[in-house]
Amino acid sequence: MLRCWLIGIILISAVLGQGITDIPEATSENGQIAGVEVIVADRDFNSLTSQLKTLAVNIDYPLIKNTVMTLAAGTSQNTIPLNADNTTNLKGKFGLYGKMEVAYKLSLFYSRAAVIIYKTKGTVTETTNATTSYISDNNYTFIEYPLEAGINLKFGVFDIQAGLNKTFLYGINQQSVTMVYPNGTTNLGEKKSSFIDQLPLGLTAGLNYQVSPKYSIRVRGLVYSSVKYQLSISIWSKVLQTVRL
């Protein structure tokens, strides 16, 4: 009987010991990286020309291996030229800007899927004759879906990206129109319109320079034609070390 108890204790100890050795060790990831980003863009969609200026704060967070999620929040100003010679523009007030981006890095392949949301407001006055005009109070919400694929190469302190980009745009305009007469005004009510648009296929490139173990500078560009572009410049800093089992 004593021998049976001893054998049982040895077997239980072996099982528990095996279980303990299977507990994963804590590993240190690259950590969270925060950055301040400036975006300047001049784009031609099929039905809308858009000039965008954005200031945002970004934060990178490692999800799983080779995958990073980026969240951004900030302010933007969007200008919509209403005619070819830019004599009448819809220059919006400062609006909100938000972004959620997931990047996958598999060997030399680099891809991105993001949703960019920004708002802009602006008033346009259209004169029909010497005595009558229309005032349109516009409230736009734009949602962008850029898709990007290419290569990511690392050379010491430099990371270089190059690839193709296709951007889709969903827009909503909550518009209020007022007719102005010499002796008063008439509110014509509100109307809500939406549209789906896209940019031509563009070339994208990026450069990340690791200034120090804690700081880096990123430059990303997107070109649709010889005069239409999007440029992003940001400064990043490691703000928190992430430990994951």
Side-chain angles (χ1 to χ4, degrees):
M1 178 66 68
L2 179 60
R3 181 179 298 178
C4 293
W5 278 104
L6 290 175
I7 293 174
I9 293 173
I10 293 173
L11 291 175
I12 294 173
S13 300
V15 172
L16 292 177
Q18 180 65 30
I20 292 174
T21 58
D22 288 342
I23 295 177
E25 296 181 359
T27 58
S28 178
E29 301 285 346
N30 291 330
Q32 294 176 350
I33 310 295
V36 178
E37 182 180 31
V38 177
I39 302 173
V40 179
D42 186 359
R43 291 89 55 84
D44 265 342
F45 294 91
N46 290 331
S47 59
L48 179 70
T49 297
S50 172
Q51 298 170 355
L52 177 67
K53 297 178 181 178
T54 300
L55 177 65
V57 176
N58 294 252
I59 186 165
D60 279 0
Y61 185 81
L63 294 177
I64 58 178
K65 187 177 180 180
N66 295 322
T67 304
V68 175
M69 179 177 66
T70 301
L71 299 176
T75 182
S76 66
Q77 185 179 50
N78 191 275
T79 301
I80 304 175
L82 299 181
N83 52 16
D85 56 4
N86 290 334
T87 56
T88 304
N89 291 340
L90 174 57
K91 188 170 184 178
K93 301 176 182 179
F94 283 99
L96 302 177
Y97 169 86
K99 178 179 70 173
M100 182 179 69
E101 175 181 298
V102 178
Y104 311 89
K105 294 186 179 181
L106 304 176
S107 185
L108 298 181
F109 184 77
Y110 175 85
S111 66
R112 184 176 83 244
V115 177
I116 301 177
I117 304 173
Y118 53 93
K119 297 178 69 68
T120 187
K121 297 180 180 181
T123 301
V124 176
T125 301
E126 299 179 61
T127 302
T128 56
N129 52 52
T131 60
T132 306
S133 61
Y134 292 90
I135 298 179
S136 300
D137 186 14
N138 299 274
N139 185 2
Y140 280 97
T141 300
F142 297 101
I143 304 174
E144 290 189 16
Y145 299 87
L147 302 176
E148 185 175 274
I151 58 174
N152 179 57
L153 302 176
K154 186 173 180 62
F155 300 95
V157 295
F158 292 97
D159 277 289
I160 301 174
Q161 297 94 34
L164 299 176
N165 178 284
K166 184 66 174 179
T167 299
F168 300 90
L169 176 72
Y170 176 66
I172 305 172
N173 185 19
Q174 187 78 37
Q175 187 183 54
S176 175
V177 181
T178 302
M179 180 177 287
V180 180
Y181 301 99
N183 57 352
T185 62
T186 300
N187 189 349
L188 300 182
E190 295 185 355
K191 64 177 182 178
K192 187 176 183 179
S193 59
S194 62
F195 59 90
I196 299 176
D197 212 335
Q198 61 180 303
L199 284 172
L201 190 66
L203 300 176
T204 179
L207 175 65
N208 182 75
Y209 173 55
Q210 193 72 38
V211 180
S212 69
K214 189 174 181 180
Y215 295 97
S216 62
I217 299 175
R218 301 181 189 179
V219 179
R220 294 165 73 170
L222 179 59
V223 178
Y224 306 99
S225 69
S226 59
V227 294
K228 296 298 178 180
Y229 62 89
Q230 178 170 315
L231 180 65
S232 168
I233 301 176
S234 56
I235 300 176
W236 295 73
S237 173
K238 184 179 293 186
V239 294
L240 181 64
Q241 193 74 12
T242 301
V243 177
R244 180 181 292 117
L245 293 178

